[in-house]
């Protein structure tokens, strides 16, 4: 098996980081948070000869899950995650779309299975631990690869910021607890990709993020 690689495709007007995690040698991989623009996601998969095994969702907001059903049908693969606490959100994505003036662009999502704290997901030899990190969304999960020193944190943590908590199901104290008790203990050298904007290292956020210091 080769190294774990990640490619980011900014999608939708929200410029959400749809992420393809893949093995550089076997080209096996998964798509994390296909929020929309499925044609662009498919083009990236095809252009790089990737063999996508599953769709992983960090949480149920429209910009992260809006394209999941279309991509599932095109590739014939399962949708895995998030935690079941986001089921109501996923069942109402079409209503979310109407609120944002995006009617007809997304479909409600029915995951093939939900995730719980402590589960392990994998493709090839790349193993990811599942951390349930609510606060931005009740069912938000993080995917942590211990061997690679890497985490996909979705909208829990950003470079210099944190996920918003003013949306339904959000809670500021819960989010801060998730970051301080689940993410930061992973270690200062852990690199992360987030749901919007550039990623970074957990140590830099522990020292410099104004929401955490």
């Amino acid at each position: 098996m080769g190294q774990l690689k990640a490619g980011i495709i900014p999608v939708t007007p929200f410029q959400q980081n749809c992420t393809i995690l893949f093995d550089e040698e076997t080209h096996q991989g998964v798509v994390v948070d296909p929020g929309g623009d499925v044609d662009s996601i498919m083009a990236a998969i095809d252009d790089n000869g990737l063999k996508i095994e599953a769709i992983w969702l960090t949480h149920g907001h429209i910009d992260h899950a809006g394209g999941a059903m279309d991509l599932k049908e095109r590739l014939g693969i399962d949708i895995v995650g998030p935690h079941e606490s986001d089921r109501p959100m996923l069942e109402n994505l079409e209503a979310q779309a109407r609120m944002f003036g995006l009617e007809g662009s997304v479909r409600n999502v029915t995951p093939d299975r939900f995730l719980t704290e402590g589960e392990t997901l994998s493709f090839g030899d790349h193993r990811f631990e599942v951390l349930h990190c609510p606060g931005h969304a009740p069912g938000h999960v993080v995917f942590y690869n211990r061997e690679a020193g890497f985490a996909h944190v979705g909208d829990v943590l950003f470079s210099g910021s944190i996920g918003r908590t003013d949306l339904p199901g959000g809670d500021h104290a819960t989010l801060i607890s998730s970051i301080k008790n689940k993410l930061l203990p992973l270690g200062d050298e852990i690199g992360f990709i987030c749901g919007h904007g550039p990623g970074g290292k957990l140590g830099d956020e522990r020292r410099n993020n104004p929401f955490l210091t």
Side-chain angles (χ1 to χ4, degrees):
M1 298 292 289
Q3 282 191 323
L4 175 67
K5 295 290 186 179
I8 293 175
I9 308 162
V11 296
T12 81
F14 300 100
Q15 289 295 283
Q16 191 273 128
N17 290 336
C18 173
T19 305
I20 303 178
L21 301 174
F22 64 97
D23 182 275
E24 68 172 352
E25 289 185 3
T26 68
H27 288 186
Q28 294 170 278
V30 296
V31 175
V32 181
D33 289 355
D37 297 336
V38 173
D39 287 343
S40 297
I41 299 170
M42 286 297 302
I45 292 169
D46 294 340
D47 290 349
N48 291 281
L50 301 178
K51 295 172 280 191
I52 301 300
E53 298 183 355
I55 296 164
W56 295 355
L57 296 181
T58 63
H59 64 293
H61 287 156
I62 185 172
D63 54 330
H64 291 255
M69 291 299 285
D70 285 348
L71 188 63
K72 168 187 170 68
E73 291 178 357
R74 292 209 201 182
L75 294 174
I77 57 178
D78 285 352
I79 299 171
V80 180
H83 186 277
E84 192 165 10
S85 298
D86 272 9
R87 181 195 292 270
M89 202 176 296
L90 292 167
E91 291 176 344
N92 286 281
L93 285 179
E94 292 166 16
Q96 284 187 48
R98 286 193 292 272
M99 290 171 54
F100 287 106
L102 301 172
E103 189 170 2
S105 64
V106 305
R107 294 161 57 192
N108 295 337
V109 172
T110 304
D112 292 276
R113 71 182 182 95
F114 289 99
L115 294 169
T116 58
E117 173 86 16
E119 284 194 65
T120 300
L121 297 176
S122 64
F123 59 90
D125 288 340
H126 302 291
R127 295 169 56 84
F128 291 78
E129 299 169 37
V130 176
L131 308 176
H132 181 209
C133 295
H136 173 69
H140 201 303
V141 295
V142 164
F143 305 115
Y144 170 50
N145 187 300
R146 189 176 297 271
E147 293 76 15
F150 162 79
H152 194 301
V153 302
D155 283 2
V156 173
L157 180 69
F158 300 118
S159 177
S161 189
I162 60 173
R164 60 189 295 181
T165 56
D166 59 338
L167 298 171
D171 183 85
H172 181 80
T174 300
L175 180 62
I176 295 299
S177 177
S178 291
I179 295 170
K180 291 188 172 181
N181 296 321
K182 297 283 186 73
L183 294 189
L184 297 186
L186 299 178
D188 284 357
E189 295 306 310
I190 301 301
F192 66 88
I193 286 176
C194 47
H196 304 266
K201 287 197 172 183
L202 293 181
D204 292 332
E205 301 311 310
R206 181 181 62 79
R207 289 184 292 267
N208 304 316
N209 191 309
F211 294 91
L212 304 177
T213 55

